[in-house]
Amino acid sequence: MEATTITWWVRIRNFVKGLFFSPSNENSIQAANPGSKEMPSPKLKHNESGWISPPYITSKHVKLDGRVVAENRCVGALARPCEIDSYKVLRTQISQLTKKEGKNTIMVTSARPGEGKTLTAINLALSFAMEFDQTALLVDCDLKKQSVHKILGIESKQGLVDYLLNGVDLSQLIMWPGIEKFTFLSGGHTLFDSSELLGSPRMKELITEMKDRYPERYVVFDVPPVLTGADALAFAPLVDGILIVVEAGKTSINDVNEAISLLPKEKILGLVLNKSGSGQTS
């Protein structure tokens, strides 16, 4: 079965600047119940504009660094929708391939490092959060080289590693940066022997929990490149779909074919062509 090809072109000639979405008062952070080990299932509410927004009672409230976000081209975190149109097209294609079948866990990877997988994962998750009936959770699973929190300009000392190894409660780790319907889980401290952890029973249980708790949520995982270690191969069986980012003029067809051959073909949603087109691109 051949993978469906998904391509997008991001043509941003200037660094984008804008205002962050303002969280509503009814979604302000409240203290989680210290006596409960289970995270409550918050009921989603429609706000005045019509979209669904959850109460952020189980997330740490953090603040994005607007300058860092703009410089790193996290266009989904800025209040200028025209700059995220390409990601919206990608989001729509993924929704059409997954939603009817209840698939909502998406792994974003690449063949080699430096091809734009992390920024693609961030902006894709943010674009899902823009939908009226959808929320998004972004998880940094690149435990050897964590960069999601850096690109968002947020300090992070704890994350996924602390949950998997030390049993830290998710309510202490999942962060809400003030963007409606978007939360993320950082990686925590760097871990070089990470493939065993990503393929562990505890990781599988966590993904099942993330998948089933909120049917109206997409979970996007930023995963290490396929050809640099065993992490992506260990993680691939746990998700519903896989997106492979390739860089125009850099990623060789041999690397693309090798990466595809190592992953479950029935899960590959397609390829994202990055840095394609004339002029400055992102």
Side-chain angles (χ1 to χ4, degrees):
M1 176 179 179
E2 289 194 8
T4 303
T5 301
I6 302 176
T7 59
W8 54 270
W9 295 264
V10 183
R11 299 186 176 97
I12 302 172
R13 297 181 181 275
N14 302 300
F15 287 123
V16 291
K17 296 181 180 179
L19 300 174
F20 294 107
F21 298 122
S22 299
S24 62
N25 292 331
E26 64 184 12
N27 287 333
S28 57
I29 300 299
Q30 303 174 19
N33 182 358
S36 175
K37 295 182 179 180
E38 294 269 337
M39 287 193 304
S41 299
K43 294 181 179 180
L44 301 185
K45 297 180 180 180
H46 289 270
N47 63 18
E48 292 181 358
S49 65
W51 68 14
I52 292 178
S53 190
Y56 301 97
I57 61 175
T58 57
S59 305
K60 291 173 58 179
H61 189 185
V62 296
K63 186 177 180 180
L64 296 178
D65 186 321
R67 178 186 59 81
V68 173
V69 167
E71 289 179 352
N72 288 329
R73 301 179 178 89
C74 295
V75 295
L78 302 170
R80 291 190 180 183
C82 61
E83 280 118 1
I84 198 173
D85 281 349
S86 296
Y87 291 101
K88 287 183 177 180
V89 172
L90 178 62
R91 174 197 70 195
T92 302
Q93 290 177 298
I94 292 174
S95 295
Q96 291 172 348
L97 291 170
T98 60
K99 204 163 190 176
K100 289 183 179 179
E101 299 179 6
K103 297 178 179 180
N104 61 351
T105 53
I106 309 298
M107 161 181 155
V108 180
T109 186
S110 59
R112 298 287 182 184
E115 296 176 346
K117 68 175 182 64
T118 299
L119 186 58
T120 298
I122 293 172
N123 281 325
L124 177 61
L126 288 166
S127 72
F128 271 117
M130 290 181 179
E131 288 196 301
F132 285 97
D133 59 349
Q134 205 72 60
T135 65
L137 170 63
L138 174 64
V139 184
D140 191 343
C141 292
D142 195 342
L143 303 181
K144 296 177 182 176
K145 189 181 179 182
Q146 301 159 28
S147 57
V148 171
H149 68 283
K150 295 177 183 177
I151 293 176
L152 292 174
I154 293 173
E155 183 178 353
S156 174
K157 296 181 180 179
Q158 287 187 309
L160 179 60
V161 172
D162 300 277
Y163 171 82
L164 294 175
L165 289 182
N166 304 321
V168 178
D169 195 274
L170 284 178
S171 63
Q172 301 177 43
L173 303 174
I174 294 180
M175 292 180 273
W176 178 55
I179 299 175
E180 290 285 358
K181 305 192 282 93
F182 171 81
T183 51
F184 78 98
L185 175 60
S186 183
H189 61 271
T190 303
L191 186 69
F192 292 102
D193 296 326
S194 52
S195 60
E196 292 81 5
L197 197 60
L198 289 178
S200 67
R202 186 163 173 80
M203 186 75 233
K204 183 177 181 180
E205 291 174 2
L206 176 60
I207 294 176
T208 301
E209 165 73 9
M210 290 177 171
K211 174 179 175 60
D212 296 338
R213 178 169 288 272
Y214 308 111
E216 61 285 298
R217 178 171 67 182
Y218 270 88
V219 187
V220 179
F221 300 92
D222 177 31
V223 178
V226 179
L227 303 182
T228 60
D231 295 56
L233 307 186
F235 195 77
L238 307 182
V239 296
D240 295 324
I242 301 171
L243 205 61
I244 303 174
V245 179
V246 299
E247 182 177 338
K250 176 181 177 180
T251 311
S252 70
I253 189 63
N254 289 336
D255 283 348
V256 173
N257 287 333
E258 184 178 356
I260 291 175
S261 71
L262 294 172
L263 297 169
K265 290 183 174 57
E266 71 279 3
K267 293 190 176 186
I268 298 177
L269 300 173
L271 308 177
V272 175
L273 183 62
N274 190 25
K275 297 186 179 179
S276 173
S278 57
Q280 277 189 308
T281 57
S282 172

